[in-house]
Amino acid sequence: MINQAVPAVAGVDQSVCVGSTPVQLTGTPAGGTWSGTGVSGSGLFTPSTIGSFNLTYSYTPAASTGCPPQSDVMVMSVTSPQAANAGSDQGICLGAAPIQLTGSPSGGTWTGAGVSASGLFTPSTAGNVTLTYGFPAGSCYSPDQVIITVHGLPTVTVNDATICAGASTTLTATSIGGLGPYTYAWSPSTGLSASTGASVTANPSTTSNYTVTVTDSR
């Protein structure tokens, strides 16, 4: 009687990220032993070092078969993490509508003040906010960060003036906060040299109240 040797099969080559969860390898026929860098005899491979490693699965048939030991090799590639991309830094006004952030590759999670896990950011506090886009431990992506600058709303002050009938004076609006440059709109325009601009000349015929509305570049 001639027995046909059953070949050992280590399986297809694989790639994992350094530092990720150990990988359980499975060779056939069952009952064989693994050998090589980073792998236990039972086939548990720990990706602790970057590189390519030849892992051997060896199987010894029962002595009664008269068949010689069999072995096969698979290549395990251990790679370094790739950086996720949280996108470009950006600015938004305090109290503006929430914005949807998008990181790549998809499937990551956002963390940080004012942002939901899915990336919906609500600008509720002025200042710089650092947000992180990342993946679970063991993935092959390192986290990335983006800075959102939340600009406070601009405030404006205007000088009061007292003049004699027929005289004129300059009204000047001064803005702080928000994001310049600013635009100004004066109303009513009656008695003013212009209805826009930071400074206007007022020559009203009667006591008048003027309102200036400031808009920043956002």
Side-chain angles (χ1 to χ4, degrees):
M1 177 179 177
I2 299 176
N3 292 315
Q4 184 68 39
V6 178
V9 178
V12 298
D13 296 343
Q14 299 184 41
S15 178
V16 295
C17 187
V18 65
S20 62
T21 304
V23 179
Q24 181 61 59
L25 305 178
T26 302
T28 58
T33 302
W34 288 89
S35 61
T37 301
V39 70
S40 68
S42 61
L44 189 66
F45 177 77
T46 303
S48 58
T49 305
I50 295 173
S52 294
F53 305 96
N54 292 330
L55 306 181
T56 301
Y57 183 69
S58 301
Y59 172 75
T60 301
S64 60
T65 66
C67 295
Q70 304 291 310
S71 65
D72 188 30
V73 177
M74 58 90 68
V75 178
M76 179 67 77
S77 298
V78 182
T79 61
S80 59
Q82 300 177 14
N85 186 357
S88 301
D89 296 344
Q90 54 184 298
I92 187 173
C93 276
L94 179 67
I99 56 174
Q100 180 62 55
L101 304 176
T102 303
S104 64
S106 61
T109 300
W110 290 90
T111 56
V115 71
S116 69
S118 62
L120 189 66
F121 176 72
T122 302
S124 57
T125 304
N128 291 333
V129 182
T130 300
L131 306 178
T132 301
Y133 182 67
F135 288 79
S139 72
C140 215
Y141 292 99
S142 58
D144 189 31
Q145 295 182 324
V146 64
I147 296 176
I148 307 296
T149 300
V150 181
H151 302 285
L153 299 179
T155 59
V156 59
T157 57
V158 181
N159 60 296
D160 294 329
T162 301
I163 59 175
C164 292
S168 62
T169 188
T170 298
L171 300 178
T172 300
T174 302
S175 296
I176 59 174
L179 185 66
Y182 308 98
T183 59
Y184 301 88
W186 297 81
S187 65
S189 59
T190 303
L192 298 181
S193 61
S195 59
T196 60
S199 294
V200 296
T201 300
N203 184 23
S205 58
T206 61
T207 298
S208 301
N209 292 322
Y210 293 103
T211 299
V212 60
T213 301
V214 59
T215 303
D216 69 1
S217 63
R218 291 290 174 177

